[in-house]
Amino acid sequence: MDKIVIRGGARLTGTIKVAGAKNAALPILASSLLAEGTSTFKNVPKLNDVSTMAKLLARLGCEVDHARHTVSVTAPSAKRAHLEAPYDLVKTMRASVLVLGPLLARYGRARVSLPGGCAIGARPIDQHLKGLEAMGARVKLSHGYVECSAKRLKGARIVLDIPTVTGCENLMMAAALAKGHTIIENAAREPEVEELGHVLVKMGARVEGAGTHIIQIEGSDSLQAVEHAILPDRIEAGTFMVAAAVTRGDVLVENTRPEHLDAVISKLRAAGVSVTSEKGGLRVRHSGALAPVDITTQPYPGFPTDMQAQMMVLATVAGGQSVIKEAIFENRYMHVPELVRMGADIHVDGRVAVVRGVPKISGATVMATDLRASASLVLAGLVASGETEVLRVYHLDRGYEKIERRLSKLGANIKRVKA
Ligand code: EPU
C-alpha cells in the first residue's frame, strides 16, 4: 500500500485550487438514474469514492463515461436495469445507499446492501427507510439487504428525527418522481443538499426550500437529463485553510464559496488567523502563536464534523487549552491516539476532547481508519519536526485528489511512496 512521507516545518505559500465537492458529486451522480437521456457532470473530483459510484451505476446497467473531471451517465431502460447495489461496493462506500431512492422511484424496486456500521460510528439508515415507507414503499430487510418496492411512490409529509444529509438526498430524489406533493421537515441544510435541489430542478422537478429546514417537492412523471458543474468542496477548502494556518503560511485558496465556510472561517479567526476574501478566493495567513479554540460540531451551518479532525491539529499546536465536542458521530476520534503518538496532549471523555496545546510535535509513522482522520495526520506531519509517514493512503484518496502534489506546489516537503 502507498504511503505519504512528509518532512515537517515548511511554511506553505502560494495558490491552491479547490476541487469539486465529493459529497455533492455522489448524490448528483446517483440522481442521473432518475432522468431519461445522458446527463453530463463537470468539475467532478477524481476520487476513489467517485469511481466507486461510477462502478455502482455501471453495475445497475447505466452507461458511464468517466474522463478526467467529466462524468456522463445514461440510465438504463427498465428492461436492462439491474436493481441491486451489492455488498462489495456498499461496504467500500456507504454513500452507495444513495441509489436506493432513485432506483425505487424510477424502476419501482431496489435491493441495496445495508451499509452497517463504519469507522466513525453506527450510522443507521432508519430515517431513509422511514421516509420511503411514508411514500408508500414496502420495505423488507433480509440477508443483509434492504429490499424496497412500490408501483409508484406517493408524495408524503416526512418529519425527519435527525437532519440526515444522505437521508434527505435519498428522499428528495424519490419524491422527484413520486405522485403528488412531498414535504420533508427537519431537512438537512448542507450546501450539497441545496445543490442536489438545483440539479433536480434542472431535470424538470419542482423543488422548493432545498438548503432550508423544509423542502417541498412536487413529483413529476418523468425527468430529463442535465448538464451540471459540481460546486467546490468546502471541506477540502477548509483542510487547505488549516494547512496554511498551522504552517504559519500565506495561501490563496481558490475556487471557494466563502458563504459555505462561515463556521470554519470564524474559528480560524478566533485562533488569530487572518482570513480575507480576495479576488478568486480566500487568503489565509498566519504568523506567531495560535490561540486555542472551542468547537462543537453541528449540522450545517454549524461547524462541520468533517473539519473536526483537522481543527484538532490546530488546537494541538495552539497556546492553551481547547475543548472540542463531536456531536454528530459517536466515534470520530480515531486520529487522537495517532496525534498523541506525535506528542499531542489530548484527553477524550466520550464525545469531548480536551486538547492542551504543546510547543511542538514530532514526526512518526501513523495511520488512520477514515478519510478526515487521515487528512489531520497529513496536517500534523506538515508541522511536526522530522519525518512523518502516513499509512493507509487509500483513505485520503477517497476524498482528496492528489493531495501530495498539490501541497508540494505550496512548498510542503511531501511525497507519495508507491508500495
Ligand atoms: N443517522 C441516523 N439515522 C439515519 C441517518 C443518519 O441515526 O437514518 C445519524 C448518523 O448515524 C449520524 C447522524 O445521523 O450520527 C448524521 O448522519 P448523516 O446521515 O447526516 O451523515 P451521512 O449522510 O451518512 C454525510 C457525509 C459525511 C458527513 C455527514 C455529516 C456524504 C456522502 N457523506 O454522511 O461525510 O460527515 O453527512 O455532515 O455526504 C466525509 O466526507 O468524510 C463524510 C463522512
Side-chain angles (χ1 to χ4, degrees), residues 168-191:
C168 206
E169 291 164 345
N170 238 335
L171 297 175
M172 287 165 75
M173 292 189 276
L177 280 182
K179 189 170 175 51
H181 192 76
T182 296
I183 303 185
I184 306 171
E185 293 185 29
N186 195 23
R189 290 190 282 165
E190 270 66 5

Side-chain angles (χ1 to χ4, degrees), residues 126-146:
D126 56 300
Q127 297 302 303
H128 305 227
L129 302 182
K130 172 179 116 169
L132 294 174
E133 273 181 321
M135 295 168 85
R138 281 175 301 280
V139 175
K140 203 173 104 191
L141 303 181
S142 80
H143 305 291
Y145 278 74
V146 55

Side-chain angles (χ1 to χ4, degrees), residues 24 114 306 308 327:
L114 282 166
D306 292 343
Q308 177 259 108

Side-chain angles (χ1 to χ4, degrees), residues 22-23 123-127 162 164-166 306 328 372:
K22 166 179 85 80
N23 289 347
R123 298 180 82 181
I125 57 160
D126 56 300
Q127 297 302 303
I162 302 167
T164 156
V165 175
T166 48
D306 292 343
I328 306 291
R372 309 300 170 189

Side-chain angles (χ1 to χ4, degrees), residues 277-349:
S277 259
E278 294 202 356
K279 204 166 162 262
L282 285 168
R283 184 169 175 195
V284 184
R285 272 172 295 176
H286 189 66
S287 57
L290 287 157
V293 277
D294 293 340
I295 289 168
T296 298
T297 64
Q298 280 167 347
Y300 188 84
F303 190 90
T305 172
D306 292 343
M307 281 298 299
Q308 177 259 108
Q310 300 88 317
M311 279 303 272
M312 193 178 282
V313 175
L314 185 147
T316 288
V317 293
Q321 177 175 294
S322 304
V323 177
I324 296 181
K325 184 170 177 215
E326 173 52 59
I328 306 291
F329 292 110
E330 64 274 23
N331 184 29
R332 211 173 193 183
Y333 283 135
M334 278 83 53
H335 43 290
V336 169
E338 299 300 278
L339 292 175
V340 167
R341 291 182 53 246
M342 296 176 76
D345 181 351
I346 306 170
H347 290 272
V348 174
D349 184 4

Side-chain angles (χ1 to χ4, degrees), residues 33-34 60 76-85 97-113 132 136-140 145-153 170 174 177:
L33 284 165
L34 296 166
L60 298 172
S77 63
K79 262 194 193 150
R80 298 193 51 198
H82 178 74
L83 305 176
E84 177 169 317
V97 77
L98 283 165
V99 300
L100 180 60
L103 282 181
L104 179 61
R106 171 96 187 260
Y107 302 98
R109 206 161 50 79
R111 187 167 188 267
V112 174
S113 175
L132 294 174
R138 281 175 301 280
V139 175
K140 203 173 104 191
Y145 278 74
V146 55
E147 294 173 10
C148 295
S149 59
K151 224 173 178 172
R152 172 127 191 231
L153 292 172
N170 238 335
L177 280 182

Side-chain angles (χ1 to χ4, degrees), residues 359-407:
K360 85 180 187 55
I361 53 176
S362 52
T365 299
V366 288
M367 67 179 179
T369 43
D370 86 289
L371 164 60
R372 309 300 170 189
S374 305
S376 79
L377 298 178
V378 169
L379 297 180
L382 294 174
V383 256
S385 61
E387 194 169 276
T388 295
E389 285 190 344
V390 182
L391 309 182
R392 297 199 179 165
V393 172
Y394 58 87
H395 289 300
L396 271 173
D397 295 338
R398 291 185 59 182
Y400 297 89
E401 188 177 328
K402 298 190 181 114
I403 192 168
E404 72 284 0
R405 283 203 213 162
R406 292 155 80 205
L407 289 175

